[in-house]
Amino acid sequence: MKHCIIVKFNPNISMKMENSFIDQIKQLFDDCLEIEGIHDVKVFRNCVNRDNRADIMIEIDMEKSALEEYDKSDAHLMWKAEYGRFIASKTIFDYDETKPANPKHPKV
């Protein structure tokens, strides 16, 4: 499954500060790769700068069974403790790309 964390930073965060956060967040979440069942971690920055858009998305490719261990991990706890105060909003979205909501139907 993919575990996505979609984040909007507080508007008073400077671009310089946000840029440094991206590198720090990537390093922090890379530590999750040591957890059994976590296969990949990617941090994406939004490419459209609008007020109604999130700033970053952290995507973790993991086995569903690894979620509990991830939730207890130092990286996850540090993420919440260190960056929580800079976040205006956060959405968590988990999905299984093999089970889309609207699977393709064969053409008749």
Side-chain angles (χ1 to χ4, degrees):
M1 79 172 195
K2 304 285 185 179
H3 177 75
C4 300
I5 306 162
I6 303 166
V7 173
K8 177 76 170 173
F9 290 118
N10 291 326
N12 60 343
I13 300 296
S14 71
M15 189 54 67
K16 184 177 180 181
M17 196 170 187
E18 187 176 320
N19 288 336
S20 72
F21 283 175
I22 303 297
D23 293 335
Q24 294 168 21
I25 290 167
K26 176 66 174 139
Q27 289 175 3
L28 180 65
F29 277 90
D30 277 349
D31 289 347
C32 293
L33 293 169
E34 296 177 18
I35 299 170
E36 186 175 337
I38 294 185
H39 310 294
D40 194 20
V41 174
K42 295 177 184 169
V43 178
F44 297 94
R45 180 178 216 136
N46 188 355
C47 63
V48 176
N49 188 10
R50 293 189 181 172
D51 288 341
N52 67 342
R53 301 293 197 268
D55 295 309
I56 64 167
M57 180 177 77
I58 303 158
E59 180 186 79
I60 305 172
D61 182 8
M62 67 168 67
E63 301 298 321
K64 197 172 186 177
S65 59
L67 187 58
E68 188 173 332
E69 194 64 31
Y70 160 77
D71 282 341
K72 298 185 293 187
S73 72
D74 289 342
H76 182 245
L77 296 175
M78 187 174 288
W79 156 251
K80 293 171 91 173
E82 293 296 319
Y83 296 94
R85 65 182 181 260
F86 301 110
I87 295 173
S89 65
K90 178 177 74 171
T91 299
I92 308 299
F93 187 79
D94 298 314
Y95 70 96
D96 179 344
E97 59 191 346
T98 66
K99 298 177 182 179
N102 294 316
K104 291 183 178 181
H105 296 285
K107 293 182 180 181
V108 179

